[in-house]
Amino acid sequence: MATPSSTQEPPGGAPSTRERILGAAATIMRRDGLVRATTKKIAREAGCSEALLYKHFPDKHDIFLRVLTERSPRLDAAIDWPGTKTVTANLEHLVVNLLEFYEQGFPIAASIFSNTELLTAHREAMAARGAGPRGPSTIVMRYLDDEVQLGRLPTLDTDAIAHLLTGAALHTAFLAAYSGTPISDSTALAHRLVAALNLPA
């Protein structure tokens, strides 16, 4: 790993440096937690100086928020799924994505609650983006609503089903984080969870 020695931008420009910093921060926050994710450690992991880090981010809180909003697995691809493949296959794929989303994000997100200032900043940042913790369940609910509209599903309590699936994914991610053991087979678990709903294939 490169030793930081100056504030000069490397070839490739600011975006590559910014991405390296975010990647380094995400790695450290997941591995060591928020408290130990100092700007010095993040800069060293990214192969740049702290001075260069501060050219891209005003403080550690901003880095933290950017990691949460930009380095989490994306779920919005489900908007294009209604009417494709089967409902069961789509839901299983969506649950696999939820498991990955929560498994990667839980260790970082849990750190928010140890810092009132950071929690407030995160709420404000999410509100400004029209996002928040209800986002994943809303995506599942909207996908199900679209399938109901297409006639591929009967009328259902889509909000309740969305809560069941996202809650199960979050709980599984919590257990994985607590035990220090990665989720072993997301595909098999997704299949079981969706099968338990007894939805039309």
Side-chain angles (χ1 to χ4, degrees):
M1 184 169 295
T3 301
S5 57
S6 75
T7 61
Q8 295 297 313
E9 281 288 355
S16 62
T17 301
R18 184 180 184 279
E19 287 303 305
R20 286 206 317 275
I21 292 170
L22 287 179
T27 297
I28 293 170
M29 288 172 178
R30 291 185 181 114
R31 183 185 67 212
D32 304 331
L34 175 64
V35 174
R36 295 185 180 179
T38 63
T39 53
K40 181 177 181 179
K41 185 180 287 188
I42 292 169
R44 185 167 60 245
E45 181 85 14
C48 69
S49 66
E50 278 191 273
L52 182 55
L53 180 150
Y54 282 118
K55 283 190 173 182
H56 295 275
F57 304 96
D59 52 40
K60 189 175 82 169
H61 285 182
D62 186 63
I63 296 174
F64 182 88
L65 291 172
R66 298 297 178 181
V67 167
L68 283 177
T69 55
E70 299 179 26
R71 288 284 166 153
S72 295
R74 299 193 67 82
L75 302 170
D76 53 7
I79 193 172
D80 299 319
W81 295 359
T84 67
K85 298 183 180 179
T86 66
V87 173
T88 296
N90 287 337
L91 275 180
E92 288 180 5
H93 191 177
L94 192 48
V95 172
V96 168
N97 288 349
L98 285 167
L99 289 165
E100 180 186 5
F101 175 81
Y102 284 124
E103 183 175 29
Q104 290 190 25
F106 187 86
I108 298 175
S111 300
I112 295 176
F113 294 93
S114 65
N115 186 308
T116 303
E117 180 183 351
L118 187 59
L119 178 58
T120 299
H122 183 258
R123 284 180 184 141
E124 292 173 352
M126 291 296 98
R129 291 172 171 81
R134 285 188 58 89
S137 63
T138 299
I139 289 169
V140 177
M141 182 183 69
R142 286 176 178 168
Y143 165 73
L144 292 168
D145 285 339
D146 286 343
E147 294 289 20
V148 170
Q149 287 290 102
L150 291 171
R152 300 215 302 169
L153 284 175
T155 301
L156 299 166
D157 188 342
T158 57
D159 181 58
I161 293 173
H163 276 76
L164 288 170
L165 292 177
T166 53
L170 178 58
H171 178 66
T172 301
F174 164 74
L175 294 176
Y178 184 82
S179 66
T181 305
I183 298 172
S184 60
D185 192 340
S186 296
T187 301
L189 178 57
H191 176 75
R192 290 171 51 211
L193 290 172
V194 174
L197 297 174
N198 289 318
L199 296 175

